[in-house]
């Protein structure tokens, strides 16, 4: 992860030599100003956000898949990504820019999660199936709301901005973005890391968790809130990025088995590395940046097919 991080800082359409990079980080002023500006003001904050985004989406996808015992679950399970998209689209239509869009997005993402929990209460059941159904219902409504705001966009610029944002990008990332996202990711990841052995028990169901003295509902709510914060935070800063939270947890399970004491630490590393690679590809090979979800789709699809192929025996046995 460290090697990839340092390499990503130097690689791009405008490459910086290793010697110049070492001079920049050691405070040597003999390097060209453009090299220094690219490394300090553009590449470093962008790569930090890519690392944090990969960690957040991968971990949230993993814990969702475990607590709902469904390996096809992704971080936008409870409609959080859809809600955050509504917030961003609304802010863009109103003419806001920058961090205000992120604030709208983050707030609507959290509101969507609470709406999903409220709808679940209507079913009067503790079954995870109803939580999944509520997420689908609220997510579908929020997707329609996003479509409405795209229709109401007053100019081609607003429409293209909404569309590009919905596909994910690190192009507008600054150190302010790092300062916003870092505490969210640290809180969510540290909490889930400390609870990693209990998440194994949550995956067994309510009866098993209760029998060993764990408050199933309370612990599940804590895990859901942490995963939601991670998802909403990344979507607010970088837009909607697909495939990361779906594919990376499967890779971790293939390598170390289904034990969150081991898969959570491994997912942190793999998710960060994968997102850094995606970012480098996004900004290095064309004159304009390729949206992140486009890159993750091209990489994630063959990876997921490989995973399905390697697990076909287990799937057939379950059928």
């Amino acid at each position: 992860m460290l090697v990839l991080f340092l390499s990503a800082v130097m690689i791009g359409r405008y490459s910086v030599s290793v010697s110049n990079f070492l001079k920049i980080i050691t405070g040597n002023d003999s390097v060209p100003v453009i090299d220094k500006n690219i490394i300090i003001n553009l590449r470093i904050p962008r790569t930090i956000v890519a690392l944090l985004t990969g960690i957040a989406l991968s971990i949230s996808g993993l814990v969702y898949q475990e607590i709902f015992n469904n390996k096809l679950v992704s971080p936008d399970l409870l409609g959080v990504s859809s809600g955050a998209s509504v917030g961003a689209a609304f802010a863009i239509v109103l003419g806001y820019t920058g961090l205000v869009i992120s604030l709208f997005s983050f707030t609507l993402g959290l509101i969507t999660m609470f709406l999903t929990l409220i709808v679940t209460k209507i079913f009067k059941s503790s079954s995870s199936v109803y939580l999944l159904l509520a997420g689908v219902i609220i997510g579908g409504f929020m997707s329609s709301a996003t479509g409405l705001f795209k229709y109401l966009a007053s100019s081609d610029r607003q429409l293209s901005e909404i569309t590009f944002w919905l596909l994910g990008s690190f192009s507008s990332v600054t150190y302010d973005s790092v300062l916003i996202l870092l505490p969210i990711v640290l809180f969510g990841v540290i909490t889930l890391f400390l609870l990693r052995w209990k998440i194994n028990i949550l995956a067994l169901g309510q009866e098993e968790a209760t029998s060993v003295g764990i408050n199933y509902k309370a612990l599940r709510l804590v895990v859901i809130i942490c995963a939601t914060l991670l998802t909403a935070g990344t979507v607010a800063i970088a837009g909607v990025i697909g495939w990361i939270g779906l594919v990376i947890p499967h890779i971790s399970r293939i390598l170390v088995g289904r034990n969150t004491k081991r898969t959570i630490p491994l997912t942190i590393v793999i998710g960060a590395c994968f997102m850094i690679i995606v970012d480098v590809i996004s900004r290095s090979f064309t004159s304009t940046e390729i949206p992140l979800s486009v890159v993750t789709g091209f990489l994630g699809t063959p990876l997921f097919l490989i995973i399905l192929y390697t697990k076909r025996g287990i799937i057939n046995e379950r059928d």
Side-chain angles (χ1 to χ4, degrees):
M1 184 168 64
L2 179 61
V3 171
L4 279 174
F5 183 92
L6 295 176
S7 301
V9 171
M10 293 182 283
I11 296 173
R13 290 194 300 273
Y14 182 92
S15 297
V16 178
S17 65
V18 176
S19 60
N20 281 350
F21 173 72
L22 293 175
K23 291 178 182 178
I24 291 169
I25 63 175
T26 55
N28 191 322
D29 293 330
S30 63
V31 296
V33 175
I34 187 172
D35 285 24
K36 187 174 182 179
N37 285 334
I38 286 175
I39 294 295
I40 301 298
N41 298 323
L42 296 178
R43 299 269 176 82
I44 289 180
R46 180 180 180 127
T47 308
I48 291 174
V49 169
L51 180 147
L52 295 174
T53 299
I55 291 173
L57 292 178
S58 300
I59 288 295
S60 57
L62 174 67
V63 297
Y64 275 146
Q65 290 174 10
E66 293 297 338
I67 65 174
F68 293 111
N69 202 22
N70 187 333
K71 300 305 178 289
L72 296 179
V73 165
S74 60
D76 57 356
L77 165 69
L78 303 183
V80 178
S81 296
S82 299
S85 300
V86 172
F90 182 49
I92 291 171
V93 169
L94 291 179
Y96 293 114
T97 58
L99 294 179
V100 178
I101 296 177
S102 298
L103 178 61
F104 271 74
S105 176
F106 184 73
T107 303
L108 262 294
L110 295 183
I111 290 174
T112 302
M113 185 269 291
F114 286 113
L115 285 175
T116 299
L117 295 178
I118 290 171
V119 171
T120 305
K121 292 293 184 182
I122 296 174
F123 293 119
K124 296 181 179 180
S125 173
S126 60
S127 173
S128 296
V129 174
Y130 289 99
L131 187 59
L132 292 170
L133 290 174
V136 171
I137 294 168
I138 298 298
F141 176 81
M142 291 297 176
S143 296
S144 298
T146 302
L148 175 62
F149 285 122
K150 290 174 71 175
Y151 174 77
L152 295 175
S154 60
S155 65
D156 291 338
R157 183 192 63 80
Q158 285 187 345
L159 182 59
S160 61
E161 187 176 354
I162 293 173
T163 302
F164 191 74
W165 192 90
L166 291 174
L167 291 174
S169 173
F170 295 135
S171 60
S172 60
V173 162
T174 63
Y175 282 106
D176 288 337
S177 306
V178 176
L179 292 176
I180 293 171
L181 186 58
L182 182 59
I184 296 173
V185 174
L186 285 178
F187 172 79
V189 171
I190 290 174
T191 303
L192 293 174
F193 184 84
L194 294 175
L195 295 174
R196 63 193 185 280
W197 68 273
K198 291 185 178 180
I199 295 174
N200 278 326
I201 301 175
L202 280 183
L204 299 176
Q206 184 171 0
E207 291 184 4
E208 287 77 3
T210 304
S211 66
V212 295
I214 290 179
N215 189 329
Y216 176 82
K217 292 182 179 180
L219 183 59
R220 187 180 70 165
L221 181 61
V222 170
V223 172
I224 288 173
I225 289 175
C226 288
T228 300
L229 285 172
L230 291 172
T231 304
T234 55
V235 173
I237 296 298
V240 181
I241 304 172
W243 287 99
I244 299 290
L246 177 63
V247 175
I248 301 302
H250 286 280
I251 296 175
S252 297
R253 281 190 289 266
I254 288 175
L255 294 175
V256 296
R258 186 184 175 182
N259 184 343
T260 50
K261 291 178 67 176
R262 294 193 293 267
T263 54
I264 284 181
L266 184 60
T267 299
I268 290 173
V269 177
I270 297 177
C273 292
F274 187 80
M275 199 67 241
I276 290 173
I277 293 172
V278 167
D279 178 46
V280 171
I281 294 173
S282 168
R283 58 180 168 78
S284 298
F285 298 104
T286 59
S287 57
T288 58
E289 290 193 16
I290 304 172
L292 296 172
S293 284
V294 174
V295 180
T296 57
F298 280 123
L299 295 178
T301 301
L303 280 175
F304 202 57
L305 287 173
I306 292 171
I307 290 169
L308 288 176
Y309 181 80
T310 58
K311 293 292 185 179
R312 66 192 186 281
I314 297 175
I315 295 173
N316 290 334
E317 288 176 7
R318 289 175 180 174
D319 290 339

